Amino acid sequence: MASPYTPYRDCQPYSFWRNAMLETPLDQIDPAVNFPFQISRTDKIATAGSCFAQHISRHLRKSGYNYLTTEKAH
């Protein structure tokens, strides 16, 4: 007999594409819902990667967030 557990069992309805997006007007879609934490401007934030990470870090600094730089750019 298959296990009754599924990783989607405890997900909220907005977690599923059909419920969240299918008939929702684009101007009413907000992908930021029910986060278990919030990032404040005093939290140290770091990024990793290439171009995308650089763009995010620039916007974080411009927005007044505490962006952590551990190495200088080349």
Side-chain angles (χ1 to χ4, degrees), residues 10-73:
D10 298 325
C11 291
Q12 297 296 319
Y14 61 75
S15 301
F16 299 93
W17 181 265
R18 182 176 304 275
N19 295 336
M21 306 295 215
L22 190 61
E23 296 180 13
T24 304
L26 290 178
D27 64 341
Q28 293 182 17
I29 295 174
D30 183 2
V33 294
N34 297 331
F35 283 112
F37 63 90
Q38 291 186 356
I39 298 172
S40 73
R41 284 185 163 75
T42 58
D43 292 329
K44 290 182 181 178
I45 304 169
T47 58
S50 58
C51 298
F52 180 74
Q54 292 173 16
H55 291 298
I56 293 293
S57 67
R58 184 174 64 246
H59 288 287
L60 287 168
R61 276 191 234 105
K62 283 183 182 179
S63 298
Y65 283 86
N66 184 13
Y67 182 74
L68 175 65
T69 303
T70 59
E71 61 184 32
K72 296 182 185 219

